[in-house]
Amino acid sequence: MNNSVSNTARLLGAGLRALLVLTLVTGVLYPLVVTGIAQGLFHDKANGSEIKADGRVVGSSLIGQAYNLPLKEGEETPAPDLKWFQGRPQNGLGTNSVNTQYQLILSGATNRSGDNEELVQWVKDAKAAVVKDNSTGTFKVKPSQVPADAVTSSGSGLDPDISPQYADLQVHRVAEKNGLSAAEVQKLVDEHTEGRTLGFMGEPRVNVLELNIALKELAAKN
């Protein structure tokens, strides 16, 4: 009996030591090493790929933002503020009904099939709005010029980028709203157009937040 108790005590002691060692290694040392490497080699990415303007953080290069006018009484959704470049539609986003104390960023797609009547109508309405909003006295948008990303949301609903084609389509409207020339605004778009990753992955893209920050700086000079 004494031997059995002694063996049990030794096993418990060994198990406790193993638990403490593993807790120290995997729960303390490993996270500290990984965090240190991330901060040292990938500081920007480790901190959320923050974008700063006017000395403060205004967003992340990985998360899209809405550029809307204040919600008016009787409106269910705010109207877009047309002096800014607009991102992709965010039809997939839901509402925070769990914890209403905080305005949480929600992510999600519509999960509707391509022939879903509601989705088809959304696309038609979005295309009509893009044509109307981006047509000016000197520049008329044709429905055939509207790219797919202008009328469809991404899988996450938070895509921070738009295609160069959609950015180009907005140039005349943005220029007119900000008292700038179309050539000045087009130059901004060209400067903020990124090519395919490593030359072959993905598609050319324009980060909307970074473009709008540059637009604000340009408009302030005029």
Side-chain angles (χ1 to χ4, degrees):
M1 178 68 69
N2 290 336
N3 288 337
S4 176
V5 172
S6 178
N7 289 336
T8 300
R10 283 198 296 271
L11 290 174
L12 288 174
L16 180 59
R17 288 193 295 274
L19 175 62
L20 292 175
V21 169
L22 289 173
T23 299
L24 178 64
V25 172
T26 63
V28 179
L29 296 180
Y30 178 73
L32 287 175
V33 170
V34 172
T35 300
I37 293 174
Q39 288 295 330
L41 300 179
F42 311 102
H43 179 75
D44 177 63
K45 292 182 174 60
N47 289 308
S49 300
E50 296 173 340
I51 294 180
K52 294 183 178 180
D54 300 325
R56 62 188 181 89
V57 176
V58 295
S60 168
S61 63
L62 304 177
I63 300 176
Q65 298 187 19
Y67 300 89
N68 296 325
L69 295 169
L71 188 67
K72 296 180 180 179
E73 186 176 351
E75 287 183 337
E76 293 185 3
T77 56
D81 189 343
L82 297 179
K83 74 176 182 180
W84 302 111
F85 282 92
Q86 297 293 315
R88 299 184 64 173
Q90 299 176 330
N91 291 333
L93 302 185
T95 57
N96 170 31
S97 59
V98 178
N99 189 341
T100 56
Q101 183 178 356
Y102 301 102
Q103 293 183 350
L104 304 178
I105 294 177
L106 301 176
S107 173
T110 63
N111 291 325
R112 288 169 169 77
S113 63
D115 60 353
N116 178 272
E117 292 184 2
E118 187 175 22
L119 178 60
V120 171
Q121 190 60 51
W122 280 350
V123 171
K124 289 181 178 179
D125 292 343
K127 177 174 281 192
V130 169
V131 170
K132 177 179 178 292
D133 290 344
N134 291 284
S135 293
T136 68
T138 58
F139 178 77
K140 299 300 180 184
V141 177
K142 299 177 182 178
S144 60
Q145 294 177 289
V146 179
D149 63 302
V151 297
T152 57
S153 60
S154 64
S156 67
L158 298 172
D159 192 345
D161 304 320
I162 56 176
S163 66
Q165 292 80 12
Y166 187 26
D168 291 343
L169 198 68
Q170 301 183 60
V171 164
H172 288 80
R173 180 255 299 164
V174 169
E176 182 181 85
K177 295 291 184 180
N178 288 278
L180 301 169
S181 70
E184 288 177 301
V185 178
Q186 184 64 60
K187 186 172 182 290
L188 283 184
V189 172
D190 295 341
E191 291 173 347
H192 287 80
T193 298
E194 299 180 44
R196 291 180 172 86
T197 304
L198 299 179
F200 68 93
M201 293 192 301
E203 295 294 332
R205 59 199 181 277
V206 180
N207 187 281
V208 182
L209 175 56
E210 292 176 350
L211 179 59
N212 278 332
I213 290 173
L215 171 64
K216 181 180 179 181
E217 293 174 352
L218 178 62
K221 296 177 182 177
N222 288 267

